[in-house]
Amino acid sequence: MSFRTLPVIDFKQAFHKESKSRFLQELRYALIEVGFFILVNFDQYGPSEQDFIDIEKQSAEFFALPTELKEDIAMVNSPHFLGYTAVGNEITGGIVDQREQIDLATELPAPSKELPIFNQLEGPNQWPSKEALPEFRKVVTNYIQKMTELSNYMKDLVEEAIGLPKHELDSFFKENQQYKMKLISYPEISEDYEHNNNEELNQGVGAHRDNTFMTFIYQCIEVDGSLQVENFEGQWIPVNKIPNSLVVNVGQLLESITNGVCKATIHRVVSPKKGSGRRLSIPFFQNVHTNAYQRTLANFPSEVIQLRDKRDKLITKWGINVGFQFEPELSKYPAGVSVFKNRIKSHQDVAARWYPQILQDVLTEYESTKN
């Protein structure tokens, strides 16, 4: 039987001899048999309670800015897909998402134009004006730094949990790796939309799997039942908020790198119902080197392979309604290729401005999958 709840994992257990073995067992279960878990007690190794308070405050203040100030840093201005996106400007599964957001990242200069085009995924941020939000850049930069440290700890613990040699995953990352994050506001749906049961207008973000290594979600303001994970029997499992926790999920790149041992699980956000208020969420995306190719990881213990194969046999009514995504083919192409194509498909206004021919190629390839 597939999972009915998400495991809750105490991060501090990883750093005590008497609890380390239990921690690794719980993490192994979460990575292989669920693909999602809730992480608690990590404040000494990542964001503190005060860091969460600060980033939530800056998020709320950003979304409260006048529209023209947010549009000054619209994503369409950035060839690196960084900046503000208004409600209705992102597409998942062919349907418009009902969310307002700003994409941010580790601050890096624009890459050389001599590099393959998918390297343009990295580059400098667009920041709101210091006059409007004097603390915004400092707080966001601090949060990215703290989350980078925590996610790097987790990378090493993932190796241990699934039985890989130490530092086996390091080659998929580079020095000064750019990690990304979003501040997202999901508005409640109006009464008219609710009565019409309009699926498109109930979609905060459509069913998908993250094209990342791992994702760490801080649910600032959570509306019960909005974030949902699909178990392997096709049932949607709601994820409610635990204070000072992070919801962590396996991304497609980690699944690909581990030859399917770790599972990237489908999830979605349903728009908050009228009267419940907006949902405010801050996902942090742990990425890999855009130029990383697949290496054959053949050092898994036999019991790990058995767990993977047993899980796969249980997958029945899973993924029926998920939208199409370009999946990593790291044996053929660098990691950045699938990520770039998915950004092109999701943010077509940005692609039309900066990559018009690639947009046409991606849409043609996308349409061919429907035939």
Side-chain angles (χ1 to χ4, degrees):
M1 187 169 68
S2 189
F3 63 91
R4 295 293 188 272
T5 60
L6 302 193
V8 178
I9 298 181
D10 186 335
F11 191 70
K12 286 184 179 177
Q13 288 186 339
F15 300 92
H16 298 285
K17 185 176 180 180
E18 62 278 9
S19 58
K20 179 70 173 290
S21 176
R22 178 182 175 184
F23 172 88
L24 292 175
Q25 288 179 350
E26 291 176 349
L27 182 57
R28 175 184 287 188
Y29 166 76
L31 293 168
I32 299 175
E33 301 187 53
V34 183
F36 261 82
F37 58 95
I38 298 173
L39 193 67
V40 297
N41 290 332
F42 49 78
D43 53 295
Q44 293 181 3
Y45 309 91
S48 66
E49 182 177 358
Q50 186 60 52
D51 292 325
F52 284 142
I53 292 170
D54 292 344
I55 195 71
E56 180 175 342
K57 181 175 184 292
Q58 293 304 311
S59 299
E61 291 183 0
F62 174 79
F63 290 117
L65 288 175
T67 300
E68 60 269 21
L69 291 183
K70 291 182 284 189
E71 290 290 354
D72 282 345
I73 55 170
M75 185 186 284
V76 73
N77 298 326
S78 168
H80 317 295
F81 297 91
L82 295 169
Y84 172 72
T85 304
V87 174
N89 278 14
E90 185 172 9
I91 300 169
T92 303
I95 297 176
V96 171
D97 295 326
Q98 300 301 310
R99 59 177 180 169
E100 179 185 19
Q101 60 194 342
I102 179 172
D103 284 65
L104 301 151
T106 311
E107 187 68 32
L108 290 180
S112 168
K113 293 184 178 179
E114 297 176 357
L115 293 171
I117 193 67
F118 56 81
N119 285 272
Q120 294 300 319
L121 286 166
E122 297 185 349
N125 288 293
Q126 297 189 82
W127 297 102
S129 72
K130 196 167 184 179
E131 292 75 19
L133 293 177
E135 299 297 314
F136 186 88
R137 182 167 182 168
K138 181 179 75 173
V139 170
V140 167
T141 300
N142 174 69
Y143 189 79
I144 290 173
Q145 178 183 341
K146 294 286 188 69
M147 285 303 308
T148 297
E149 293 169 1
L150 178 62
S151 65
N152 286 335
Y153 275 118
M154 283 301 306
K155 171 178 62 67
D156 295 340
L157 291 168
V158 166
E159 287 175 340
E160 278 194 86
I162 60 177
L164 287 174
K166 194 171 184 179
H167 303 306
E168 186 78 359
L169 296 173
D170 287 0
S171 65
F172 293 98
F173 299 81
K174 64 179 180 179
E175 188 176 354
N176 199 25
Q177 179 72 51
Q178 187 174 65
Y179 294 152
K180 300 192 177 184
M181 64 179 288
K182 293 176 184 276
L183 312 179
I184 311 174
S185 176
Y186 295 90
E188 62 180 42
I189 58 176
S190 74
E191 188 173 2
D192 289 340
Y193 295 159
E194 188 174 356
H195 286 332
N196 290 336
N197 195 28
N198 188 319
E199 180 182 352
E200 294 191 16
L201 295 168
N202 288 338
Q203 176 171 297
V205 60
H208 67 285
R209 299 188 293 159
D210 289 345
N211 206 191
T212 62
F213 185 82
M214 295 182 80
T215 302
F216 300 76
I217 308 166
Y218 175 53
Q219 302 188 95
C220 299
I221 302 173
E222 176 58 14
V223 178
D224 286 351
S226 282
L227 175 59
Q228 300 176 353
V229 179
E230 187 179 21
N231 73 12
F232 302 132
E233 296 170 354
Q235 298 171 320
W236 289 104
I237 310 300
V239 183
N240 294 327
K241 178 176 178 178
I242 295 177
N244 300 316
S245 70
L246 290 164
V247 179
V248 186
N249 65 276
V250 172
Q252 288 178 297
L253 288 167
L254 177 53
E255 180 178 307
S256 178
I257 287 168
T258 60
N259 296 306
V261 166
C262 300
K263 190 65 176 174
T265 308
I266 296 165
H267 53 290
R268 68 183 182 184
V269 173
V270 178
S271 295
K273 294 182 179 180
K274 182 175 176 61
S276 59
R278 69 171 176 174
R279 178 178 188 264
L280 190 62
S281 176
I282 303 176
F284 174 89
F285 305 104
Q286 185 181 24
N287 300 319
V288 302
H289 192 339
T290 53
N291 290 293
Y293 278 92
Q294 174 76 331
R295 291 186 300 104
T296 301
L297 301 181
N299 298 318
F300 296 107
S302 59
E303 62 267 26
V304 167
I305 299 301
Q306 289 170 7
L307 287 171
R308 179 198 65 186
D309 294 345
K310 180 181 176 182
R311 174 206 66 208
D312 288 348
K313 289 178 181 177
L314 295 175
I315 296 176
T316 54
K317 302 174 182 178
W318 185 70
I320 296 173
N321 298 313
V322 70
F324 171 81
Q325 291 176 268
F326 293 99
E327 297 196 17
E329 296 183 78
L330 299 189
S331 61
K332 300 179 181 178
Y333 307 108
V337 170
S338 64
V339 179
F340 189 65
K341 285 183 175 180
N342 283 319
R343 296 298 272 175
I344 292 284
K345 179 173 66 67
S346 296
H347 293 279
Q348 295 180 21
D349 56 340
V350 180
R353 177 170 179 178
W354 297 100
Y355 311 106
Q357 185 55 57
I358 297 175
L359 173 61
Q360 292 305 312
D361 294 342
V362 165
L363 292 179
T364 298
E365 186 176 353
Y366 172 44
E367 288 299 321
S368 71
T369 66
K370 300 177 182 179
N371 299 327

